Amino acid sequence: MAPSFKVMSLTEAAAERIKRIMADAERPIAGLRVGVKNGGCAGMSYTMEYAEERKAGEDVVEDKGVRVFIDPKAVLFLLGTEMDFQTTKLASQFVFNNPNQTSACGCGESVAITPADPNALATAHA
């Protein structure tokens, strides 16, 4: 069996931050659910929420001790993305380094993303 392809990866900083957030959660958390939604001035924004269990059809990424569930509608938008956590003088936030992103709005709250070629995903799973 070929190794499974990871839709996205995490930096050490992102993995450590997710572990801390999950440890402080008020209920048992199986992982973090990541997706995209339409909205914002650039067209799309990333979504994140606690996941108590895997939903049907979700890809699961296990990286650096963290489990991330990928919304099936977001897979082609997130293919090849690295999730990071950055702290600056003004903010601490998760940052998505996404090769499919074509632009972002000035405030950084939304992005324009072109979906990856579906054949790339099929090849990666082969």
Side-chain angles (χ1 to χ4, degrees):
M1 183 173 165
S4 63
F5 176 77
K6 289 183 181 178
V7 174
M8 61 182 288
S9 62
L10 304 172
T11 64
E12 287 291 339
E16 289 305 314
R17 181 64 180 152
I18 293 168
K19 287 177 190 175
R20 283 196 305 270
I21 290 170
M22 289 175 54
D24 292 339
E26 295 178 3
R27 60 188 191 275
I29 303 299
L32 180 72
R33 179 168 291 112
V34 176
V36 295
K37 68 177 182 177
N38 291 333
C41 48
M44 300 187 95
S45 59
Y46 297 104
T47 63
M48 293 185 295
E49 64 183 11
Y50 290 132
E52 294 181 23
E53 62 185 14
R54 180 183 185 185
K55 291 182 181 177
E58 287 183 325
D59 277 46
V60 178
V61 173
E62 296 203 28
D63 193 12
K64 298 174 182 63
V66 174
R67 184 175 296 136
V68 178
F69 302 97
I70 309 294
D71 181 330
K73 295 175 288 204
V75 169
L76 292 179
F77 293 103
L78 295 174
L79 193 62
T81 296
E82 178 188 64
M83 183 177 175
D84 193 11
F85 185 77
Q86 297 178 355
T87 301
T88 66
K89 289 181 180 181
L90 300 176
S92 295
Q93 63 187 351
F94 287 102
V95 176
F96 292 86
N97 300 312
N98 186 339
N100 306 304
Q101 182 176 315
T102 56
S103 66
C105 66
C107 65
E109 293 297 318
S110 66
V111 294
I113 308 171
T114 302
D117 181 352
N119 293 325
L121 184 60
T123 303
H125 280 290

